């Protein structure tokens, strides 16, 4: 499969190239946790693509000695360099022309820098979109979204779900033909109308650096006592969730989504060494959401990524009621009362 993505034709290099793309973050419903080889997932996952939380990246490529510079809003960011260096070293096998260019990369995130929202998915997706834009120009061929996702995966696993479509499935799934460990596939066609304008309000409980990075967390699934059962469970949950997405079955959607979030954190708590990324406020918010759902029958649920922040997912028709809940009861658990209103989006776009 990797062979398929290696550009074998010689291309005629241009002196300079320029591209600007934006790519969104995404929120997993069935979670990817555990990997092997070169960023290959131990189990399949599916996510909603977000809209407001995005990275906008401009790249200027100049023919000559290979290398890169990286800045954020025009200000040099040497701390981002190791990730970009590793990324460029990984993609050169698949995009050999990159060895002939110096890349000036400038990025900007629409979400606050230290919000605890990982920018690796949106930033690696936006950078990969720029790279494939160049490859499309040099080869005079249409944009290859599967290869774009393939490259993004080499930068950060979940980034491969941030390129194309409102719902993206990544990883070989027993019940999904065309699913792949190498890239994400657009599954927007699954979405029942109730999901098409779904809201994601992100309650910012903890904006600090994570105590344990996701790289370390993924590694701890190697030899984890529950690993095999977990990977099998993700396969089953994905089958059930796909059906719920198709049928607009919100009860089943809630059951699987919340269970997946808690299972992700249960894996962290049962790793060796064990760790906890949730905070007391995370649990308070979960309890408030459960009480609100019971009382109002409004189908709002939560999910978590590898951190303490809480994503509230719900149909847009309930936005007013959920806003009220947030303002009356939930902002007290957020750092500086901060939260971000987002919703389901469609993927990367050229600017
Ligand atoms: O892409 P990574 O290595 O940052 O891992 C992301 C893992 C989770 O966000 C916890 C789950 C997921 O599927 O996005």
């Amino acid at each position: 499969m990797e062979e398929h993505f290696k550009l074998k034709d010689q291309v005629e290099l241009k002196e300079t190239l320029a591209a600007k793309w934006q790519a969104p973050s995404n929120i997993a419903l069935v979670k990817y946790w555990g990997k092997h080889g070169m960023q290959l997932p131990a189990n399949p996952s599916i996510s909603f693509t977000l809209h407001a939380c995005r990275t906008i990246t401009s790249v200027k490529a100049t023919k000559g000695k290979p290398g890169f510079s990286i800045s954020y809003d025009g200000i040099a960011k040497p701390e981002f360099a190791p990730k970009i260096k590793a990324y460029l070293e990984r993609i050169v096998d698949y995009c050999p022309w990159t060895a002939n260019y110096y890349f000036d990369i400038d990025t900007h995130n629409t979400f606050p820098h230290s919000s605890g929202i990982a920018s690796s998915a949106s930033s690696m997706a936006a950078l990969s979109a720029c790279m494939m834009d160049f490859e499309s120009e040099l080869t005079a061929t249409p944009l290859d979204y599967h290869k774009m996702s393939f490259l993004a995966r080499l930068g950060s696993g979940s980034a491969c779900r941030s390129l194309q479509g409102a719902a993206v499935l990544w990883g070989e799934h027993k019940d999904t033909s065309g699913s792949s460990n190498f890239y994400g596939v657009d599954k927007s066609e699954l979405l029942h109308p109730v999901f098409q304008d779904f809201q994601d309000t992100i309650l910012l409980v903890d904006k600090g650096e994570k105590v344990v990075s996701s790289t370390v967390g993924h590694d701890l699934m190697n030899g984890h006592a529950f690993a095999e059962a977990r990977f099998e469970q993700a396969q089953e949950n994905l089958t059930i969730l796909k059906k719920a997405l198709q049928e607009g079955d919100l009860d089943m959607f809630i059951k699987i989504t919340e269970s997946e979030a808690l299972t992700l954190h249960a894996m962290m708590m049962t790793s060796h060494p064990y760790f906890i990324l949730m905070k007391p406020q995370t649990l308070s918010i979960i309890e408030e959401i459960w009480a609100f759902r019971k009382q109002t029958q409004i189908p709002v649920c939560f999910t978590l990524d590898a951190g303490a922040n809480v994503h509230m997912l719900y149909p847009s028709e309930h936005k007013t009621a959920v806003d009220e809940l947030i303002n009356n009861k939930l902002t007290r658990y957020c750092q500086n009362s901060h939260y971000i209103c987002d919703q389901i989006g469609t993927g990367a776009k050229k600017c």
Side-chain angles (χ1 to χ4, degrees), residues 189-207:
E189 85 271 4
L190 285 180
L191 298 183
H192 181 278
V194 75
F195 293 109
Q196 281 167 8
D197 59 356
F198 234 55
Q199 305 293 301
D200 179 5
T201 303
I202 310 162
L203 303 176
L204 303 176
V205 168
D206 186 9
K207 305 185 195 177

Side-chain angles (χ1 to χ4, degrees), residues 236-249:
E236 300 301 331
N237 280 349
L238 189 47
T239 300
I240 302 169
L241 187 76
K242 274 176 63 186
K243 188 162 176 282
L245 291 175
Q246 238 163 347
E247 293 176 356
D249 182 345

Side-chain angles (χ1 to χ4, degrees), residues 26-35 39 43 45-47 83 118 120-121 153 155-161 170 210 213-215 218 264-265 268 304-307:
N26 68 73
I27 181 68
L29 306 168
V30 171
K31 308 287 182 181
Y32 145 61
W33 200 240
K35 62 179 174 181
Q39 305 273 82
N43 64 262
S45 57
I46 193 166
S47 53
K83 272 205 155 178
S120 55
R153 189 198 95 239
S156 167
S158 59
C160 77
R161 297 188 313 237
W170 168 43
K210 284 184 234 170
S213 71
S214 24
T215 311
H218 286 294
L264 168 70
H265 285 259
M268 299 172 187
L304 308 166
D305 58 16

Side-chain angles (χ1 to χ4, degrees), residues 10 105 134 157 200:
Q10 285 287 339
I105 306 166
F134 294 154
D200 179 5

